[in-house]
Amino acid sequence: MSALLDVEAVGKRYGGQPVLAGVDLRLQPGEFVVLIGGSGSGKTTLLRLVGGLEMADQGVIRLRSQVVDAPGDGIWLPPERRRLGMVFQDYALWPHMTCLENVMAVLPTRTPDRKKAAMTLLEQVGVAVMANRRPQQMSGGQQQRVGIARALAAKPDLLLLDEPLSGLDVDTREHLRMQIRSLTREYGAGALFVSHDPIDAWRLADRVVVLEHGVLTQADAPEALYAAPATARIARFTGAQGGFDARLRRQDESLGIDLAGSFFPATPVGVKEGEMGIAFVRPSGVRLHEHGVPADLVHCAFEAGSYRAYWRIAGLDEPLCSLEAAPPAAPTAQLSIDPEHIFIYPLQGENAYV
Amino acid sequence: MSIVSVHKARRAAFSSLLFLVFAGLFAYPIARLLLMPWIPALEPVGGIGVHASTIGLSADAIVNTIRLGLASTLVAVPLGLGFGWLLERRHWRGKSLFMLTLWLIFLTPSYLLTTGWQIVFSLPMLHHGHLAQLFFGQAGIIALLGLKGLPFACLAARGSWRAIGTEIVDAARIHVAGAWQRHGVLLRLLLPAVGSAFAIVFIESIQEFGIPATLGAQIHLPIITYAIYERLAMTPVDFTHAALLSWTLVVLAAGAASAHFYLGRRFGSALVHGRQRQSVPPGCGRAEGAVAGVAATALFTFGIAMPGAAIIHAALWQIDPYASVPVPWHTLLYSTLYASIAALLAVSVAMLLISGQRRARGGMAHMADAMTLGNMAIPGLVLGAAYIIAFNDSWLPLYGTPTLLVIAYVAAQVPVLVRFLQAPMGQVHASMSDAARLHGMPWVNRVADIQAPLLMSPFLWGWTMAFGQVFFELPISELLYPAGRAPVGVAIVTLNQKLHYTAEARLALAGIALSLAVAGFMALMLRFAMVPNMAKEQAA
């Protein structure tokens, strides 16, 4: 099956500074890809390159197998000819038009009964009763719903979403998240969703793509990303904590690290046996165990149905966390860690945890 | 040619055009004027050279300018800080009237305010009194410069009070026990505000031309701006000393601006903080209310009402000491024409610059910044002087033509408009145009349905503002007006210098009425222009 979007070795510089370097990304029809990265990682730039709002400096971008941006061959298709829909972080609704007019303005000219079509879209996103209001008379969440309706009005097969939920409260965010997912599925549209919120990746993505300093570091299904985070940042993104120095060594055919004098099997990523690295531990892998390493309870906090306990272990600068069904009964305990929840990354290089 | 090449070529052509505008309107004329004292070959035909000058540089004008500038700044800045605090931190009934008065003082040409007070003190009951003696002296000039500087001082102070934020003051109240220590903390926070207000008012005062050309000329007090004018308007024309005096003005302004930037850098970090919570200002206490009420009434009375009433009185009743002269009504027509065309061009250039600045990183953004900052150091009179010199050659014989006058008006208005239109245009986010493109709107629809309605409001607002400023403009008009086609500002000041107050007042009132009518018409246009085209389709 040919890809809906194919980004090949794309690079972009601003004022001599590289923002994106050699990015490769493929998106299949109907696929929902969440593009994750920190501030300045280049995720919005990549989205704007796909949209045609910026021009790439290197590489090739293809939409529906058609080359739309190839600086080497002097090809660049302007955004209005790429047949896309986009939801903006700042909504970008046209303030001099009502919600209905905002949607009608985007509907293809040959659409029969455009007003009815626009109303249907507004009904689908739940703001039909506000059709005649102007954007400034609505809340942020309501405006973003209109933004989604407008993006769908263009009948795109690829929807670009630039942090569409970032300015909204938790309830609205959750509601809209599900609405975006169900609507894209209903319309059969693929989606490239830019976010810095891990929850968006877990709840929306068919595939998660991670950008770090302009370089694509991992592109996997959420399960694969969780099982094998490729970098320290991605490990943090999956909930791992820490960032403490450790040496990778072998014991009884297992590779692992020493914590407070005890050996723990670990998952090495780019670290060789005998090398120093930086280790991260996910709370879901930390358990109370009679043969574990001794730890002192520092603090325990109730967190949405479970208890997050903070343990201090001799020799570690940062506490380890465990998730418990009830508050720990004693101030001291012994902890074990599941090997698939300990990761060790190189101290230097692109995987260095900053 | 490929699509990328066409796109890049279009952008390069646009940048080059803007660069040419910048070079032609600012860089070339200003550089030629300022380099002339050291490169005599740059002097145009008709100059007398530095050695043949009879009146020279006029040290008196320089000393007077600095003294009057400092004195008026010392009058305006403390008042501005106090009024700024009242406007930003307190809620009171006369606030709207006060703001209106400040706007009126800002918009009213200084020579009209001066004329109003000249008429007041020419009345028989006041003419020989102690107050009149003060007014027809340096005190009068200081008071008028201070009055014109007050809106700038208030604006700068108000912005700084807002930046300090109530939470910083609250933090000082909670954590700093001693009253003197607390006041010390807050005063240190205010230093950038004081510096900024001081620099802006001082620069405005030394660059002022209307007051020196009317009251200054009447009492024969040499001031730099009028001295530059004299060297260029009288025969033989002394370009070199006009250039040297321009240098003085530029250096003084640059010095004040540097002090302002130094204070901002040295102490401004105190104002850097995270989120700022906007709180509703509390009402005034009894004493504060009384002070605010008296201040608003006094400013309205002395700033607008009395000079305004005097002009109306002079227009209705013949008060001239000499025989009446006919009113040069035709100057209204010339000013309307010049102002309409210049405002249209200036707004268009300013909006192009702003949109270029918002999209471009680097060159174009720096150019727009340089233009707006340059306006602080280069007053209209110096720009006019530069144009006389730059466009007075056989290969650029524009001097004395309406074209050059309009170009100079445009050059003077563009930096101001860039500053004023940045905020309203900033509300039209770039993403709104991006959204239109990305959702496949054709170019014609994007322009007609999205960009034009969104930009219409700042365009009409900017045009109206530029029209009003150009209509009554004085320094550039005095230096560059074509013979026999003087604009209204020149006619008013000529009548003022000959003490024909009645004709002057009638012309001024007619000019104000005409400007207001144009502003009203534009406001009406704005209402009609804002009806969205899409509404018609929806109704259908």
Side-chain angles (χ1 to χ4, degrees):
Chain A
M1 188 166 52
S2 65
L4 174 61
L5 168 70
D6 186 1
V7 175
E8 196 182 307
V10 160
K12 176 74 184 171
R13 301 172 84 88
Y14 285 140
Q17 291 292 317
V19 181
L20 289 174
V23 173
D24 293 306
L25 168 68
R26 283 168 73 87
L27 193 148
Q28 301 301 330
E31 188 182 21
F32 202 114
V33 170
V34 174
L35 186 57
I36 289 278
S39 297
S41 59
K43 53 191 190 303
T44 295
T45 303
L46 179 56
L47 193 83
R48 291 175 67 82
L49 286 174
V50 172
L53 299 171
E54 307 270 356
M55 291 167 94
D57 294 333
Q58 291 160 348
V60 179
I61 299 175
R62 292 185 193 86
L63 270 170
R64 308 167 203 94
S65 303
Q66 183 197 357
V67 176
V68 292
D69 194 350
D73 299 329
I75 297 171
W76 178 75
L77 198 69
E80 58 272 25
R81 289 169 56 192
R82 295 193 182 193
R83 292 180 286 133
L84 300 169
M86 184 160 174
V87 183
F88 292 79
Q89 185 180 2
D90 60 3
Y91 320 133
L93 297 178
W94 301 305
H96 60 296
M97 295 181 181
T98 64
C99 298
L100 185 65
E101 289 161 1
N102 262 281
V103 178
M104 281 170 70
V106 171
L107 281 168
T109 40
R110 281 170 293 177
T111 309
D113 201 349
R114 302 178 68 210
K115 188 177 172 185
K116 194 178 167 193
M119 278 305 283
T120 307
L121 279 163
L122 290 174
E123 272 163 23
Q124 282 181 314
V125 295
V127 287
V129 287
M130 297 170 184
N132 291 317
R133 287 200 196 168
R134 299 222 171 172
Q136 55 271 32
Q137 296 170 307
M138 305 169 79
S139 70
Q142 290 162 345
Q143 286 189 54
Q144 198 56 294
R145 284 168 203 269
V146 180
I148 294 165
R150 182 178 68 177
L152 291 171
K155 299 200 186 336
D157 51 6
L158 176 60
L159 203 59
L160 307 177
L161 302 106
D162 185 11
E163 302 199 35
L165 310 177
S166 68
L168 308 173
D169 63 68
V170 178
D171 275 352
T172 313
R173 211 182 298 169
E174 179 56 22
H175 200 89
L176 268 182
R177 198 179 278 130
M178 289 305 108
Q179 206 157 35
I180 287 169
R181 193 67 184 97
S182 59
L183 281 169
T184 47
R185 201 167 279 154
E186 187 181 327
Y187 278 75
L192 188 57
F193 186 111
V194 164
S195 175
H196 58 259
D197 185 350
I199 298 173
D200 291 334
W202 304 136
R203 298 196 185 158
L204 289 172
D206 294 324
R207 203 150 52 92
V208 182
V209 172
V210 186
L211 275 178
E212 290 179 37
H213 304 301
V215 177
L216 197 152
T217 49
Q218 191 164 10
D220 268 320
E223 298 87 341
L225 191 94
Y226 186 82
T231 68
R233 277 179 185 276
I234 302 173
R236 297 272 300 182
F237 173 79
T238 64
Q241 294 187 320
F244 38 85
D245 294 348
R247 185 178 299 279
L248 186 71
R249 71 178 183 87
R250 186 178 295 276
Q251 181 177 309
D252 302 334
E253 300 299 313
S254 301
L255 284 171
I257 59 172
D258 289 318
L259 291 178
S262 301
F263 179 80
F264 289 90
T267 309
V269 184
V271 184
K272 291 182 183 139
E273 188 180 339
E275 284 182 350
M276 284 297 288
I278 186 157
F280 291 84
V281 176
R282 270 202 294 252
S284 44
V286 179
R287 304 178 197 289
L288 304 186
H289 193 275
E290 57 191 28
H291 299 302
V293 62
D296 297 324
L297 182 66
V298 179
H299 176 60
C300 181
F302 179 72
E303 189 179 284
S306 64
Y307 289 84
R308 183 176 282 260
Y310 292 80
W311 304 95
R312 184 164 304 286
I313 294 176
L316 292 188
D317 292 337
E318 295 199 34
L320 282 186
C321 284
S322 68
L323 296 174
E324 309 293 340
T332 57
Q334 290 179 307
L335 303 178
S336 73
I337 308 170
D338 299 340
E340 63 269 28
H341 292 290
I342 305 186
F343 303 95
I344 178 164
Y345 298 93
L347 274 176
Q348 291 181 343
E350 65 178 41
N351 283 335
Y353 171 70
V354 183
Chain B
M1 194 186 273
S2 68
I3 295 173
V4 176
S5 309
V6 170
H7 185 76
K8 284 185 176 165
R10 212 183 288 159
R11 283 175 78 163
F14 181 68
S15 301
S16 309
L17 184 71
L18 282 178
F19 178 76
L20 282 176
V21 168
F22 175 71
L25 293 185
F26 292 93
Y28 159 65
I30 299 288
R32 185 163 174 184
L33 169 77
L34 295 179
L35 290 174
M36 207 180 59
W38 293 276
I39 309 173
L42 294 175
E43 191 172 19
V45 180
I48 55 170
V50 70
H51 302 299
S53 171
T54 48
I55 40 180
L57 195 59
S58 181
D60 282 352
I62 297 170
V63 172
N64 287 339
T65 301
I66 296 172
R67 191 175 57 243
L68 294 172
L70 285 173
S72 57
T73 305
L74 288 174
V75 169
V77 170
L79 287 173
L81 283 171
F83 291 146
W85 183 84
L86 275 172
L87 289 169
E88 197 55 39
R89 292 291 166 83
R90 287 293 178 268
H91 179 70
W92 42 291
R93 284 183 73 185
K95 207 170 174 175
S96 309
L97 174 71
F98 190 82
M99 280 306 294
L100 178 70
T101 310
L102 281 178
W103 271 105
L104 286 173
I105 292 171
F106 169 70
L107 291 172
T108 308
S110 56
Y111 56 87
L112 282 186
L113 279 180
T114 312
T115 298
W117 280 104
Q118 281 175 306
I119 294 169
V120 169
F121 285 108
S122 300
L123 294 173
M125 60 183 146
L126 290 173
H127 191 57
H128 299 291
H130 183 61
L131 274 177
Q133 278 180 3
L134 278 174
F135 177 76
F136 290 108
Q138 295 197 19
I141 293 185
I142 291 168
L144 287 165
L145 287 175
L147 184 66
K148 280 300 283 181
L150 196 58
F152 295 99
C154 281
L155 192 73
R158 196 176 176 186
S160 301
W161 281 116
R162 190 181 306 134
I164 288 173
T166 51
E167 285 184 343
I168 287 185
V169 179
D170 291 345
R173 288 174 70 184
I174 289 168
H175 298 118
V176 186
W180 285 109
Q181 268 178 298
R182 197 163 57 238
H183 288 128
V185 168
L186 295 178
L187 277 175
R188 193 176 173 283
L189 286 172
L190 263 184
L191 263 180
V194 175
S196 142
F198 196 94
I200 292 169
V201 177
F202 181 74
I203 292 169
E204 286 299 321
S205 295
I206 61 170
Q207 293 182 348
E208 170 57 41
F209 180 69
I211 298 167
T214 46
L215 186 57
Q218 192 181 355
I219 64 174
H220 303 293
L221 187 75
I223 293 170
I224 292 180
T225 48
Y226 198 65
I228 295 173
Y229 166 71
E230 282 181 317
R231 274 147 191 80
L232 294 173
M234 291 176 182
T235 316
V237 182
D238 185 354
F239 289 119
T240 310
H241 282 109
L244 283 170
L245 284 167
S246 300
W247 258 113
T248 323
L249 216 50
V250 170
V251 167
L252 283 173
S258 306
H260 158 50
F261 289 129
Y262 169 76
L263 279 174
R265 267 205 315 273
R266 175 77 177 78
F267 299 102
S269 57
L271 304 182
V272 177
H273 47 88
R275 281 180 58 191
Q276 202 179 85
R277 194 168 291 164
Q278 293 293 329
S279 54
V280 180
C284 278
R286 191 169 288 181
E288 286 170 352
V291 170
V294 169
T297 312
L299 190 70
F300 180 73
T301 306
F302 297 115
I304 291 295
M306 280 187 71
I311 287 175
I312 293 169
H313 171 79
L316 295 178
W317 292 281
Q318 183 65 243
I319 63 156
D320 293 355
Y322 308 110
S324 62
V325 291
V327 180
W329 298 114
H330 61 281
T331 57
L332 292 171
L333 178 68
Y334 292 131
S335 276
T336 308
L337 277 175
Y338 299 148
S340 307
I341 298 166
L344 181 69
L345 293 173
V347 165
S348 307
V349 172
M351 289 179 86
L352 274 175
L353 267 176
I354 295 169
S355 59
Q357 195 180 17
R358 282 167 52 184
R359 290 198 175 270
R361 297 169 178 86
M364 200 138 67
H366 292 315
M367 199 193 299
D369 268 351
M371 278 174 72
T372 51
L373 283 173
N375 182 56
M376 277 185 83
I378 309 292
L381 191 83
V382 173
L383 196 69
Y387 272 46
I388 292 182
I389 292 160
F391 300 107
N392 205 6
D393 284 316
S394 52
W395 58 281
L396 260 179
L398 289 174
Y399 178 61
T401 64
T403 308
L404 187 64
L405 182 64
V406 169
I407 292 173
Y409 284 149
V410 172
Q413 287 303 311
V414 164
V416 185
L417 285 170
V418 166
R419 275 279 154 95
F420 271 84
L421 291 178
Q422 258 164 352
M425 277 186 74
Q427 288 168 6
V428 182
H429 295 288
S431 51
M432 289 175 193
S433 295
D434 288 345
R437 287 195 81 178
L438 213 133
H439 290 120
M441 266 196 196
W443 180 81
V444 178
N445 289 41
R446 285 205 307 272
V447 171
D449 293 337
I450 306 295
Q451 285 160 352
L454 291 176
L455 294 177
M456 189 57 81
S457 168
F459 181 87
L460 290 178
W461 191 81
W463 187 91
T464 311
M465 199 186 92
F467 178 88
Q469 293 285 318
V470 174
F471 190 88
F472 284 108
E473 205 281 338
L474 184 62
I476 290 174
S477 311
E478 284 280 15
L479 290 175
L480 298 177
Y481 76 88
R485 283 173 281 181
V488 76
V490 173
I492 287 175
V493 170
T494 307
L495 290 167
N496 178 287
Q497 287 173 341
K498 292 173 181 168
L499 304 182
H500 292 303
Y501 291 139
T502 294
E504 182 192 359
R506 285 175 184 167
L507 185 59
L509 283 181
I512 291 169
L514 188 63
S515 316
L516 288 176
V518 170
F521 176 72
M522 293 310 280
L524 217 69
M525 291 273 291
L526 192 60
R527 276 179 75 92
F528 286 117
M530 286 305 289
V531 175
N533 296 336
M534 296 299 295
K536 296 168 199 162
E537 191 183 339
Q538 192 194 339

